[in-house]
Amino acid sequence: MPMPALSDTEGPRLPEGLPPVVDAHVHLFPDRVFEAVWRWFDEYGWPIRYKLHTPQVVSFLLSRGVSRVVALHYAHRPGMARALNAYVAEVARAEPRVLGLATVLPGEEGAVSILEEAFALGLRGVKLHCHVQCFSPDAPELHDVYAACARAGRPLVMHAGREPSSPNYKCDTYALCGAERVERVLQAHPTLKLCIPHMGADEFDAYARLLERHDNLWLDTTMAVSGYFPVPPPRAALQVRPERVLYGTDFPNIPYAWDRELKTLLGLKLGDEVLAGILGQNALRLYGE
């Protein structure tokens, strides 16, 4: 059954006095793809509080004080990636405060060419999703993708944590994913800039240890510090190398207030310098802004 929505109060905009805020985990899709994603979440995930299409997503966040939006998307079948990449590239051209990422389906024909074309369009990195695209991070078909990102100096955001999971994915996320598989990638591709969303949920401690060992790893906070799931905030992973942690929300595909994640981060009292890095500076450095 879907998890519940929360009726928490949302703020009208970011609080005054914050350093620049970059939401490093926002989803943008063409309308029909967005609507298909929402149908899946309504049935199997959680109720989507903000069913907004791309122009409304961008306007919503920027009008509330977010300074930059990192736009993520993913292709769940072969032949989708080029059109999705072109779509996000056009959004980013029209609004320079959107930093668009590319996608590709691992193993599809011409995967490296698809990425090279996307980088030529100005896309800043790549988004992959092990759960949706049904691959393991250390699968052989990923090596060319990793090499293409490393050659171009483009970061890769890859949902490779085991959670949030669902029996309604077409694959077993616990069989595919794990911190040890990600470490093999980090070791095999030391020049690849790899960001794992959700702080690596549910292996928070394992990813904190990976941060200590690997200079090519970043994490983002998306949903992991919101208090929505019955786990405490992963303080160790936030504090071991805070310069490698990015603020992200999963907007608009969330079941609670748009600023819930931010409020929780502010409440952790991490210190002004650490907070400024997590809220924006780290993402700007990662994406070359």
Side-chain angles (χ1 to χ4, degrees), residues 184-208:
R184 291 179 199 136
V185 176
L186 295 167
Q187 292 168 338
H189 300 273
T191 61
L192 172 69
K193 299 174 183 178
L194 180 63
C195 180
I196 304 298
H198 310 289
M199 305 295 289
D202 64 319
E203 298 177 284
F204 299 129
D205 291 341
Y207 276 94

Side-chain angles (χ1 to χ4, degrees), residues 120-176:
L121 291 173
L123 295 179
R124 303 295 193 92
V126 176
K127 163 68 173 180
L128 300 177
H129 199 311
C130 295
H131 298 194
V132 175
Q133 297 176 307
C134 288
F135 67 88
S136 294
D138 56 349
E141 62 266 26
L142 270 295
H143 292 307
D144 287 346
V145 170
Y146 297 147
C149 291
R151 280 195 305 273
R154 299 300 205 279
L156 172 64
V157 179
M158 179 169 61
H159 187 143
R162 302 183 301 192
E163 293 286 349
S165 187
S166 170
N168 298 289
Y169 285 123
K170 295 179 180 179
C171 46
D172 181 348
T173 66
Y174 274 66
L176 290 177

Side-chain angles (χ1 to χ4, degrees), residues 21-28 54 57-63 65-72 88 91-92 95-101 124 247 249 251 283-284 287:
V21 173
V22 176
D23 191 335
H25 196 121
V26 174
H27 289 291
L28 298 183
T54 292
V57 169
V58 174
S59 174
F60 185 102
L61 293 174
L62 296 180
S63 69
V66 175
S67 65
R68 296 283 195 282
V69 167
V70 180
L72 313 180
V88 171
V91 172
E95 173 48 80
R97 289 173 290 180
V98 173
L99 308 180
L101 270 58
R124 303 295 193 92
Y247 165 68
T249 63
F251 194 83
L284 295 178
Y287 292 107

